[in-house]
Amino acid sequence: MRSWVIRKEKIKQYLTDPVDKRDYNKIISIEENIKLPEISEHEALIKIKSTGLNFNSIWTLEAYPVDSFSLLSGHIRRNPNDKKHLRDYFIPGSDASGHVVQIKENSTFKEGDEIVVHCASIDSKDLSLKDPMLSNTQSVWGYETNFGSFAEYAIVKISQLIKKPKNLSWAASGCYMLTLGTAYRMIATKNGLDAKNGQTCLIWGASGGLGIFAIQICNTLGVEPICVVSNNEKAEYCKKFGAKKIINLENFSEKKFINLDGSFNLTMWLEFSQELQKLIGEKKVDLVFEHIGKDTMGLSIYVLKKGGKVVTCAATSGYLSTIDLRYLWMEMKRLIGSHFCNPLEAKESSQLLADGKIYHEPSKTLEFEKLIDGVIEIKNRKSLGKIAINIS
Ligand code: NDP
């Protein structure tokens, strides 16, 4: 089959290039004759119609902070039954829409079914846990496991299958699950903010893959989203998804919330608070939806009201951030970590789309060969919402 492939023999040399100079074309290429192994019990072989780009494609193609083969080794340590994933090649990709081609076990799904795949790969013995995301066997499919979606066929656990929403095109279906499921757990569930009607929620990167769903989930809950973007085009894009209160960082007098030495840029913080005051009549919010990390975490905690909550699932701008702990404990705020979502949360969030309660359309659809162009667009903060990749 046709597939984007990273070859193990190339990794060592690639890692000698500085991270910011790594040329994705040196590490990944299209191959025509990849043969997937046989599926095991609890697995399904799927034929992919469409996939989507995620920020984890950047981590994969930069082999940073951990390269794919090291991540795979970690997965096998936690899942010794998945040894077949250890190959001399790696196929990335964590979102897909398509058809079930082969399935080994009795399931509500059968061959020919139209499906979407969620990326929580969890051993079947752990699926009955209250929150299967807390299981040690959990890995992100196509990031920590092999046989991902940048190919004509992929291998997934049966528990990763979700009925394709009938109201969505193949392209739209193939590029929502990872970010929608993540945003849903972060905002709507007790595993995250457990946001409630009448609260305000600051959403960083609101025009991005997580942001466009975060805005809509807030709106369905009666929570007021306050959307942060970096330019007018992104502000306009957010409006398509229901954003009304928008902070455009382009209009600020300075560009960074932290100084080069890691200390807080108080001028920017005060300007930010003033913007909130103008928009919502107060300088603080009830909730913050974080994934920027280093550049914004200190501010996110600062702009919370007493008793407020920040949830984070990432650190796009850097992992090591400075927090003034006084703002946390004196005002009894909470910082919550979150990671993708469990199968039930994936199903519930997908149902919001199927029921038409939230809207989704990729900002663009690229041909298979153009996949690297899309990843670079995301890296350069030029992308809007989700980018779909046509497979068959
Ligand atoms: P996108 O690239 O689609 O969107 C990210 C947005 O963040 C950009 O649009 C950009 O918006 C904003 N941004 C980036 N850097 C900065 C900065 N320094 N300051 C302020 N804003 C910034 O990515 P996703 O939304 O798909 O993912 C975001 C992060 O979440 C990634 O790190 C990803 O790996 C992680 N993630 C984690 C998941 C998990 O399960 N743990 C699941 C999904 C994503 P603008 O230019 O307007 O500021």
Side-chain angles (χ1 to χ4, degrees), residues 21-291:
K21 298 272 178 321
R22 288 181 190 163
D23 172 0
Y24 303 162
N25 290 291
K26 278 205 219 164
I27 194 67
I28 194 164
S29 57
I30 297 178
E31 295 193 19
E32 302 291 338
N33 297 313
I34 295 288
K35 194 168 175 325
L36 291 178
E38 284 296 311
I39 58 167
S40 317
E41 204 194 351
H42 308 310
E43 287 182 338
L45 177 70
I46 58 161
K47 182 157 183 9
I48 300 176
K49 294 285 284 182
S50 188
T51 181
L53 297 182
N54 282 296
F55 212 94
N56 70 5
S57 315
I58 298 175
W59 309 127
T60 297
L61 297 192
E62 290 189 350
Y64 177 85
V66 184
D67 73 85
S68 303
F69 292 92
S70 304
L71 288 171
L72 266 180
S73 301
H75 174 73
I76 305 305
R77 269 198 303 281
R78 289 178 275 113
N79 295 271
N81 294 336
D82 273 357
K83 281 210 175 66
K84 69 166 180 248
H85 285 249
L86 274 186
R87 306 258 140 182
D88 57 2
Y89 66 82
F90 175 73
I91 304 172
S94 305
D95 261 324
S97 59
H99 293 97
V100 176
V101 174
Q102 194 189 5
I103 201 157
K104 279 250 163 114
E105 141 188 317
N106 264 345
S107 143
T108 46
F109 290 95
K110 57 183 187 320
E111 289 166 19
D113 279 354
E114 296 187 351
I115 48 89
V116 164
V117 180
H118 74 71
C119 66
S121 167
I122 297 167
D123 189 283
S124 56
K125 73 174 166 36
D126 291 336
L127 291 170
S128 55
L129 293 175
K130 189 170 168 224
D131 180 12
M133 281 304 285
L134 297 183
S135 144
N136 273 335
T137 62
Q138 180 274 324
S139 290
V140 174
W141 167 66
Y143 179 63
E144 297 167 287
T145 80
N146 210 335
F147 320 129
S149 60
F150 295 168
E152 285 176 303
Y153 294 86
I155 297 176
V156 302
K157 302 253 194 280
I158 295 170
S159 57
Q160 290 177 245
L161 299 175
I162 289 194
K163 273 190 196 160
K164 172 187 168 289
K166 287 196 166 50
N167 49 343
L168 256 59
S169 66
W170 286 111
S173 306
C175 66
Y176 73 80
M177 195 65 254
L178 189 149
T179 52
L180 170 61
T182 305
Y184 179 78
R185 179 181 171 103
M186 288 171 78
I187 297 171
T189 77
K190 290 201 169 17
N191 293 318
L193 295 171
D194 196 17
K196 297 283 184 251
N197 186 23
Q199 292 185 306
T200 47
C201 183
L202 183 71
I203 297 176
W204 289 103
S207 65
L210 287 172
I212 54 166
F213 292 119
I215 298 169
Q216 299 186 80
I217 292 165
C218 281
N219 281 335
T220 60
L221 295 170
V223 172
E224 181 159 58
I226 298 128
C227 302
V228 187
V229 295
S230 60
N231 62 42
N232 269 334
E233 186 193 15
K234 292 188 175 192
E236 288 306 311
Y237 192 69
C238 285
K239 289 181 189 166
K240 274 179 73 165
F241 299 91
K244 294 199 170 66
K245 307 265 163 83
I246 301 176
I247 296 180
N248 185 347
L249 299 178
E250 206 169 38
N251 301 329
F252 279 58
S253 61
E254 295 179 33
K255 291 292 155 227
K256 285 274 184 191
F257 292 111
I258 53 166
N259 301 313
L260 280 177
D261 63 1
S263 60
F264 303 139
N265 181 348
L266 288 177
T267 312
M268 279 281 273
W269 282 31
L270 293 177
E271 259 185 70
F272 197 84
S273 298
Q274 287 305 332
E275 276 299 308
L276 283 174
Q277 175 80 47
K278 269 193 256 162
L279 272 178
I280 58 171
E282 40 190 353
K283 289 181 179 161
K284 303 234 165 177
V285 293
D286 297 301
L287 308 166
V288 178
F289 181 84
E290 248 290 342
H291 48 96

